[in-house]
Amino acid sequence: MTTADEPALTRDDVAHLAHLSRLELTDAELDTYLGQLGVILHSVARVGEVAGDDVEPTTHAVPQTNVFRDDVEVPCLPHAAALASAPASYEGRFRVPQILGEEA
Amino acid sequence: MSELMDSGLMDYDEALERFDPVLGLEVHVELGTVTKMFCGCPTGFGAAPNTQVCPVCLALPGAMPTVNRQAVEYAIKIGLALNCEIAELCRFSRKNYYYPDMPKNYQISQYDEPIAFGGYLDVDVDGETVRIEIERAHMEEDTGKSTHIGGATGRIHGAEYSLLDYNRAGVPLVEIVTKPVTGTGKAAPAVARAYVAALRDLLAALDVSDVRMDQGSLRCDANLSLMEKGAPEFGTRTETKNVNSLRSVERAVRYEITRQAARLAAGQTIKQETRHFDESTGTTAAGRSKETAEDYRYFPEPDLVPVTPEREWVERVRATLPELPWLRRARQQAEWGFTDLEMRDLVAADGVSLVEQTVAAGASPGEARSWWGSYLGQQANNRGVTLAELPISPTQVAAVVSLVNDGKLTAKLARQVVDGVLAGEGEPDQVIAARGLAVVSDDAPLQQAIDDALAAQPDVAEKIRSGKVQAIGAILGAVMKATRGQADAGRVRELVLKTLGVDS
Amino acid sequence: MSADLTRRSAAELASAIASREVSAVEVTRAHLDRIGAVDPDVHAFLHVSDELALAQAAEVDRAFDAGEQSASPLAGVPLALKDIVVQKGVPTTAGSKILEGWLPPYDATITRKLLDAGIVILGKTNMDEFAMGSSTENSAYGPTRNPWDLSKIPGGSGGGSSAALAAFEAPLAIGTDTGGSIRQPASVTGTVGAKPTYGGVSRYGVIALASSLDQPGPCARTVLDTAMLHEVIAGHDPMDATSIPQPVPNVVAAVRRGQADGVAGMKIGVVKQLGGQGYQPGVLSSFRSAVEQLQAAGAEIVEVDCPHFEYGLAAYYLILPSECSSNLARFDAMRYGLRIGDDGTASAEQVMSLTRGAGFGAEVKRRIILGTYALSAGYYDAYYGSAQKVRTLIRQDFEKAYQQADVLISPASPTTAFGIGEKVDDPMAMYLNDLATIPGSLAGIPAMSVPSGIAADTGLPVGLQIMGPALGEERMYRVAAAFEAGYLAEHGTTVPQQIPALEGTAR
Ligand SMILES: [Mg+2]
Ligand SMILES: [Zn+2]
């Protein structure tokens, strides 16, 4: 693949990323994104210029720690409401197309 | 396809002559909290599908997770019991991959900053202590459950559609990962089993999970690789998933050793892959292979903030740690006066707590061990169940012991009473009454049987009279036969000697 | 009568309703009528909740008539809710086809707070799909038009909310701001919008774009109305672990103080890096006159240097795509929303890909792919990791700046509203719209846009961005209110009062 300093995505890279993110793309879309992503990556890669090892990353703007909830039950969604938006359901469960293979 | 080649197995002993197995065990334990890891839905097993779900655990748009304090405390407790260090700061991360049983299509887990790390668990394997190093214990959430419908077998391949129940989605898990376990040689399968058993007992003692392997609240993934003797590096490992009984852990590891050895010996390579254990055949089979290695794209979960367990909290949890099972066992062995071998057999048979309860119900340790260790052990074996699964309680065993001690049952009768209890005929008293098993304690019918026996065998009577008391066996046998075994042998002996005028 | 009511501020309407001068139902009906008249042209709303809104208003009236205590100082006032905030039983799409027809079974925390406050929710407003954009052209349901000039964009992503305010379809609106989606639309429509301190308003029930940046906030046509709404929706929420456990800031009192006392004695910092190249001349001259007005009102103006701001855009366009690639993974055709290609033979994985490929728009897919790349093994440190470090540097720039000034100011947007279709094919040009707002987003500080005037070169409104330190909402509102009052005193009118009437342009 490429290094972060000189991002140069290939068409296969974009296709692979699309697959990883479960996006069915047309050939035309692949071409468009290939061009655009190259430009964008070129300009965002400069974050590396200033981010030294001594800089702590900020993950939250206002730092907090140890935010917990008590182990106390709260009402669930009514069963019908849980399934109401399902594209398909059967006997109280979400019906989905066949799942092939195990991934996890 | 590759399954054909997989059917080639190497003889186990031969495999171990050429290769050293390297184990890695990942155990997922569902915590016994009231609610899920990141929402207030209950965690109870067996509810109707999708009745324990909410916007958070269904991953509805806009919903956000909140961390269950009790789950964090349980994770700390597990870490401490495994001699781990508890992190000063740890984070949740997102593990990104698409799978329909995971509503968000990412799992909230911990990545490079687990809550507990660097511990160990000492495990007893055939009298030797094996130290299993613990790499880490981290918090994460469970997935939902899918059922595959249609297709020829109903299994995952060939299914026409799948049904999803998200009741389990978001149940808190702690994943306990060992460092590679080397140097166990032939004992590798036994070590794997002993480790999972020890972990299970530990988690039960900590009261953080119901550790039901059959219900999936304790699940084991077994990693195994082989290295040629003297090789400098580990070989390629396979990961056998969801091995859901202690016996399966042992079998799966053993199977993988023979399978991988055959491949390596034939000059083939081992593919790094996920495999599934099949209980019925005792074999493992490859999951669907992926074109590319999984890239989980971990990053810190921005919806949650870091966890920094204060040291006072950690110490407070440490103070609640119960007596650890192995320490407790050593104490019990001393109290009960068992030999190492006796204790080990009892542990191996999973009988420690049964003996403990039988003693608590009034039996002596020796009597309790003898019942559970031998007669009941045989019965369990015959039925292919564990001791605990036998339909007899420690209280019932103690009652039988007490009847024997009171002279109300002979050893032989006692076994018949136990058989009756096992056959579902009720309490020992009820079995005795229904089967008419009480010891004949009235001397009159005994005397009649003795007189008959002496009359039938006058030569034996003469020998006894002349001082050869050991000849009494023939008379005793006849009397027992006549009373259908319901006589107390000691009392018969006394009466025979008295009848013949011999001092006992 | 109807037109009269829609021209009034939320504060005026609230007191008119409370005094029973008008009923909440009349106020609601007036706004629904206005929506009916002008929304075919403006297209601010994706869904109008006529019946629910009238029923809510009737309940407010009933409570007032029964002499019950007012639910809040804004009871009975109508509001436009950005379609990224869930409301139970009301269609919520986030501007995406993938959620078309979805009826949420629960309320967002802010929705609950609005309803409890007796605020009447008129409907859901248009937006860039999943809040990705600066023009509302990325909505799957067609663009919203700027009431100042229907050929122009109303800003984005919250263009529906800003246009609803500018079209007098609602006196109050809710926006969400990830990189500027409240402030930039406010700027280009001549309205007011505030992004609270990150964590100041609950995100629970707000469909996530970039979790570490997203922040819902209040929008209105006046600073006081914005502050009143701010107090309704702010506050700690146990359902949002990133919510700040702090009391609601007294921003209404701060507005009164700004109106009464002005900015005399305050130090106001002008950020050197937020101006100059890339900024439209008309925007810069409006900004300069704003600075002069503040100075004349007694503020001390200082220039502050924030050297790392120039890396803000790059950091933002790594953090946002990374987080959104994960946040949007849940739209997978399994439990809700669109499902495409389920023909009985396709696998779940294929159906997911087909649905996401068809259900997401171009910008969404572009950012998901970019984010997937930035997070992938071997790239994390260089991209996401480095971007998070840049955030730290920008935060430190702000901290230093606030040692020199009480608040910081800049233009809210580099340009006034541009033409619909003008930048759609050039993502980088589009991304530059957020140049001035992004640093505040990355640092999580409160920031708002108030109209600074009308650009001489385009005749369109310009926004003044006022940024406070973290939890410094009160200072920020005080300056905003003082500036608004100063503008009125100087010009005899406010910017929103100069918005062209739309009647007659429809059809
Ligand atoms: Mg795991
Ligand atoms: Zn839940």
Side-chain angles (χ1 to χ4, degrees):
Chain A
M1 285 261 265
T2 57
T3 69
D5 301 327
E6 291 173 26
L9 283 179
T10 66
R11 205 165 184 281
D12 282 350
D13 291 337
V14 178
H16 175 63
L17 292 167
H19 172 71
L20 268 183
S21 40
R22 299 291 183 273
L23 291 171
E24 179 84 20
L25 298 184
T26 63
D27 286 349
E29 282 178 306
L30 274 181
D31 291 333
T32 309
Y33 290 144
L34 179 59
Q36 291 174 339
L37 290 173
V39 174
I40 297 169
L41 280 172
H42 181 74
S43 79
V44 296
R46 57 190 303 250
V47 291
E49 290 171 19
V50 286
D53 291 340
D54 53 331
V55 182
E56 277 295 307
T58 292
T59 51
H60 295 85
V62 179
Q64 283 194 77
T65 55
N66 296 332
V67 178
F68 299 127
R69 161 180 64 82
D70 289 337
D71 188 21
V72 175
E73 210 176 306
V74 294
C76 297
L77 276 178
H79 182 60
L83 286 161
S85 295
S89 66
Y90 181 71
E91 291 184 342
R93 284 176 281 188
F94 293 85
R95 186 183 156 149
V96 306
Q98 53 186 325
I99 301 172
L100 294 179
E102 299 272 9
E103 294 204 328
Chain B
M1 22 182 263
S2 71
E3 292 311 300
L4 271 179
M5 289 188 286
D6 286 351
S7 66
L9 301 177
M10 184 182 279
D11 172 74
Y12 186 69
D13 291 324
E14 195 186 331
L16 270 303
E17 269 162 41
R18 286 191 56 177
F19 302 102
D20 285 326
V22 178
L23 278 173
L25 296 158
E26 292 170 23
V27 171
H28 286 87
V29 56
E30 278 186 357
L31 301 181
T33 49
V34 175
T35 65
K36 294 185 179 182
M37 186 74 219
F38 300 114
C39 65
C41 291
T43 56
F45 184 82
N50 298 305
T51 56
Q52 298 180 344
V53 293
C54 74
V56 178
C57 56
L58 275 181
L60 296 189
M64 295 177 67
T66 49
V67 177
N68 184 336
R69 180 188 287 106
Q70 185 69 67
V72 176
E73 181 159 318
Y74 282 173
I76 293 172
K77 201 169 176 183
I78 291 170
L80 290 173
L82 289 171
N83 307 291
C84 288
E85 230 176 284
I86 303 303
E88 302 262 353
L89 180 147
C90 66
R91 255 181 261 274
F92 289 100
S93 285
R94 290 188 184 177
K95 179 180 181 179
N96 293 285
Y97 64 95
Y98 285 84
Y99 206 72
D101 66 8
M102 198 173 53
K104 299 185 293 294
N105 286 314
Y106 57 81
Q107 182 192 36
I108 305 179
S109 182
Q110 294 194 288
Y111 178 47
D112 46 1
E113 296 166 298
I115 188 154
F117 54 92
Y120 62 87
L121 180 64
D122 283 336
V123 174
D124 183 274
V125 187
D126 289 330
E128 261 180 62
T129 300
V130 178
R131 175 160 290 191
I132 308 292
E133 305 273 352
I134 305 294
E135 169 88 36
R136 58 189 282 161
H138 70 253
M139 300 179 278
E140 59 183 35
E141 55 177 335
D142 212 341
T143 59
K145 262 193 167 153
S146 45
T147 311
H148 310 286
I149 304 293
T153 63
R155 289 186 60 80
I156 217 162
H157 297 286
E160 278 158 14
Y161 60 94
S162 303
L163 297 175
L164 286 159
D165 168 15
Y166 293 104
N167 283 350
R168 201 183 64 182
V171 167
L173 293 177
V174 164
E175 179 176 343
I176 300 159
V177 183
T178 67
K179 289 192 173 144
V181 181
T182 58
T184 57
K186 268 185 196 164
V191 168
R193 178 191 177 132
Y195 166 73
V196 177
L199 198 52
R200 184 199 57 178
D201 292 353
L202 173 64
L203 295 166
L206 295 176
D207 201 21
V208 295
S209 169
D210 64 6
V211 291
R212 291 281 300 264
M213 288 190 90
D214 57 332
Q215 289 181 357
S217 56
L218 187 79
R219 305 195 287 269
C220 175
D221 300 340
N223 292 297
L224 186 102
S225 64
L226 294 181
M227 48 199 296
E228 195 106 31
K229 295 251 179 196
E233 279 176 7
F234 291 167
T236 305
R237 66 186 167 86
T238 60
E239 180 178 14
T240 304
K241 284 273 183 195
N242 290 335
V243 193
N244 49 25
S245 74
L246 292 180
R247 190 159 163 263
S248 297
V249 172
E250 190 164 5
R251 291 170 82 202
V253 169
R254 192 181 169 98
Y255 179 83
E256 271 300 287
I257 290 175
T258 55
R259 186 189 70 85
Q260 291 188 16
R263 287 189 66 87
L264 292 172
Q268 294 166 320
T269 56
I270 303 299
K271 200 156 61 161
Q272 179 161 355
E273 63 187 357
T274 298
R275 301 182 68 84
H276 295 273
F277 183 69
D278 183 339
E279 295 262 0
S280 58
T281 60
T283 61
T284 68
R288 192 178 64 124
S289 68
K290 279 159 272 174
E291 326 80 73
T292 45
E294 201 60 64
D295 180 353
Y296 293 121
R297 307 185 299 284
Y298 281 100
F299 72 104
E301 165 58 281
D303 284 335
L304 296 173
V305 303
V307 176
T308 58
E310 302 95 353
R311 296 300 102 174
E312 308 93 85
W313 187 18
V314 173
E315 290 317 309
R316 221 162 47 237
V317 175
R318 198 192 299 277
T320 69
L321 289 183
E323 188 181 14
L324 297 177
W326 48 93
L327 296 179
R328 182 167 177 210
R329 234 167 256 158
R331 177 178 57 76
Q332 285 168 329
Q333 187 184 342
E335 275 174 22
W336 296 342
F338 293 175
T339 66
D340 286 354
L341 183 65
E342 287 168 345
M343 196 66 193
R344 200 181 314 138
D345 287 347
L346 196 58
V347 169
D350 251 332
V352 177
S353 77
L354 294 168
V355 166
E356 183 181 27
Q357 293 168 56
T358 309
V359 170
S364 75
E367 288 160 338
R369 186 185 59 76
S370 138
W371 274 106
W372 290 107
S374 55
Y375 189 68
L376 289 168
Q378 285 162 25
Q379 302 308 307
N381 243 355
N382 295 343
R383 293 165 181 237
V385 298
T386 65
L387 283 179
E389 285 165 352
L390 282 174
I392 187 167
S393 69
T395 320
Q396 289 167 329
V397 173
V400 171
V401 168
S402 152
L403 288 166
V404 173
N405 290 341
D406 293 349
K408 300 214 172 93
L409 287 177
T410 63
K412 185 172 170 195
L413 287 176
R415 284 195 287 275
Q416 291 177 38
V417 172
V418 165
D419 289 343
V421 174
L422 291 174
E425 293 168 23
E427 292 298 316
D429 284 350
Q430 294 167 302
V431 176
I432 290 166
R435 291 197 180 187
L437 293 177
V439 168
V440 179
S441 51
D442 185 355
D443 286 354
L446 285 185
Q447 192 61 56
Q448 184 59 54
I450 289 166
D451 292 347
D452 291 349
L454 291 174
Q457 304 180 69
D459 49 330
V460 177
E462 197 47 45
K463 275 186 189 166
I464 298 168
R465 223 181 252 118
S466 65
K468 292 185 177 163
V469 177
Q470 60 272 35
I472 201 169
I475 303 298
L476 290 184
V479 172
M480 293 310 270
K481 191 172 175 187
T483 58
R484 298 195 322 274
Q486 277 167 265
D488 177 350
R491 182 64 187 149
V492 173
R493 186 187 162 91
E494 277 172 32
L495 288 174
V496 170
L497 296 177
K498 190 178 156 202
T499 307
L500 295 173
V502 178
D503 282 347
S504 53
Chain C
M1 165 80 175
S2 237
D4 237 354
L5 288 177
T6 58
R7 288 259 154 190
R8 293 206 215 171
S9 72
E12 289 162 359
L13 288 170
S15 63
I17 293 165
S19 69
R20 311 311 288 137
E21 179 203 320
V22 289
S23 70
V25 167
E26 283 172 282
V27 170
T28 298
R29 211 181 288 282
H31 286 89
L32 289 172
D33 288 349
R34 173 75 181 170
I35 292 168
V38 303
D39 213 53
D41 286 341
V42 177
H43 192 227
F45 284 86
L46 293 178
H47 176 83
V48 180
S49 304
D50 314 57
E51 281 175 26
L52 266 181
L54 287 167
Q56 247 198 293
E59 168 55 25
V60 171
D61 285 335
R62 188 207 57 74
F64 273 122
D65 291 342
E68 291 169 21
Q69 208 198 327
S70 174
S72 81
L74 286 173
V77 179
L79 170 141
L81 188 61
K82 191 175 179 182
D83 201 31
I84 200 165
V85 182
V86 305
Q87 183 181 1
K88 190 171 172 177
V90 176
T92 300
T93 67
S96 181
K97 283 284 177 212
I98 211 160
L99 269 182
E100 190 163 19
W102 181 57
L103 296 177
Y106 78 110
D107 279 328
T109 298
I110 53 176
T111 303
R112 199 64 260 152
K113 288 191 176 202
L114 292 169
L115 295 172
D116 289 348
I119 291 173
V120 174
I121 301 177
L122 295 172
K124 309 299 287 292
T125 57
N126 199 13
M127 54 183 285
D128 285 301
E129 185 175 7
F130 288 106
M132 296 184 211
S134 309
S135 67
T136 313
E137 291 164 290
N138 293 334
S139 168
Y141 302 97
T144 296
R145 295 168 181 279
N146 191 325
W148 288 82
D149 175 344
L150 293 174
S151 72
K152 305 284 194 226
I153 59 101
S157 64
S161 283
S162 65
L165 295 171
F168 297 92
E169 294 172 308
L172 297 172
I174 293 292
T176 60
D177 191 310
T178 302
S181 288
I182 286 175
R183 292 162 285 165
Q184 184 259 7
S187 172
V188 299
T189 56
T191 58
V192 181
K195 180 196 94 72
T197 303
Y198 178 84
V201 173
S202 170
R203 292 187 290 122
Y204 187 77
V206 179
I207 300 174
L209 168 55
S211 308
S212 71
L213 297 163
D214 295 346
Q215 187 52 211
C219 308
R221 287 186 299 263
T222 72
V223 175
L224 175 63
D225 287 358
T226 309
M228 290 174 79
L229 183 56
H230 195 125
E231 290 192 5
V232 169
I233 60 173
H236 180 244
D237 178 14
M239 297 297 280
D240 173 357
T242 62
S243 159
I244 304 168
Q246 289 275 340
V248 175
N250 293 314
V251 289
V252 172
V255 168
R256 306 262 186 236
R257 187 163 170 219
Q259 289 169 340
D261 301 349
V263 290
M266 289 187 83
K267 279 189 179 178
I268 294 176
V270 174
V271 184
K272 199 167 102 184
Q273 280 76 7
L274 300 179
Q277 216 200 341
Y279 289 75
Q280 182 185 315
V283 167
L284 289 176
S285 68
S286 176
F287 178 67
R288 274 193 299 274
S289 48
V291 174
E292 281 159 20
Q293 187 199 306
L294 288 165
Q295 195 164 22
E300 183 189 340
I301 305 294
V302 293
E303 190 185 66
V304 297
D305 188 20
C306 295
H308 297 99
F309 279 22
E310 64 165 303
Y311 296 96
L313 197 71
Y316 179 80
Y317 277 101
L318 284 168
I319 294 166
L320 184 143
S322 297
E323 293 183 8
C324 92
S325 73
S326 176
N327 281 332
L328 267 54
R330 67 186 58 195
F331 301 100
D332 65 358
M334 298 294 115
R335 294 164 305 286
Y336 46 79
L338 190 68
R339 179 182 287 182
I340 286 174
D342 184 10
D343 59 3
T345 62
S347 68
E349 184 183 319
Q350 287 168 321
V351 169
M352 277 187 197
S353 295
L354 285 166
T355 303
R356 289 164 60 81
F360 288 142
E363 181 64 19
V364 173
K365 287 187 273 193
R366 180 157 47 234
R367 294 199 196 181
I368 289 175
I369 291 173
L370 180 59
T372 302
Y373 178 71
L375 288 176
S376 53
Y379 295 89
Y380 178 88
D381 288 340
Y383 289 143
Y384 190 79
S386 294
Q388 295 287 59
K389 289 180 174 183
V390 167
R391 272 179 99 158
T392 306
L393 298 172
I394 288 174
R395 248 176 75 189
Q396 289 166 353
D397 280 357
F398 271 117
E399 279 162 18
K400 280 182 207 139
Y402 287 118
Q403 287 167 9
Q404 302 169 57
D406 299 311
V407 298
L408 306 180
I409 57 170
S410 77
S413 168
T415 67
T416 55
F418 50 88
I420 291 172
E422 213 177 291
K423 299 185 183 178
V424 279
D425 294 324
D426 186 353
M428 276 316 288
M430 193 67 101
Y431 295 170
L432 289 173
N433 286 301
D434 301 327
L435 209 54
T437 47
I438 278 172
S441 295
L442 291 170
I445 57 162
M448 67 191 291
S449 179
V450 289
S452 65
I454 293 168
D457 51 2
T458 57
L460 291 168
V462 179
L464 170 68
Q465 178 174 230
I466 304 166
M467 297 172 276
L471 302 173
E473 268 86 347
E474 290 167 17
R475 272 188 226 176
M476 173 179 87
Y477 271 100
R478 181 183 163 192
V479 173
F483 179 79
E484 181 184 57
Y487 186 94
L488 178 63
E490 192 178 328
H491 298 88
T493 180
T494 65
V495 173
Q497 281 167 7
Q498 301 169 61
I499 301 171
L502 286 167
E503 282 96 346
T505 64
R507 284 159 300 270

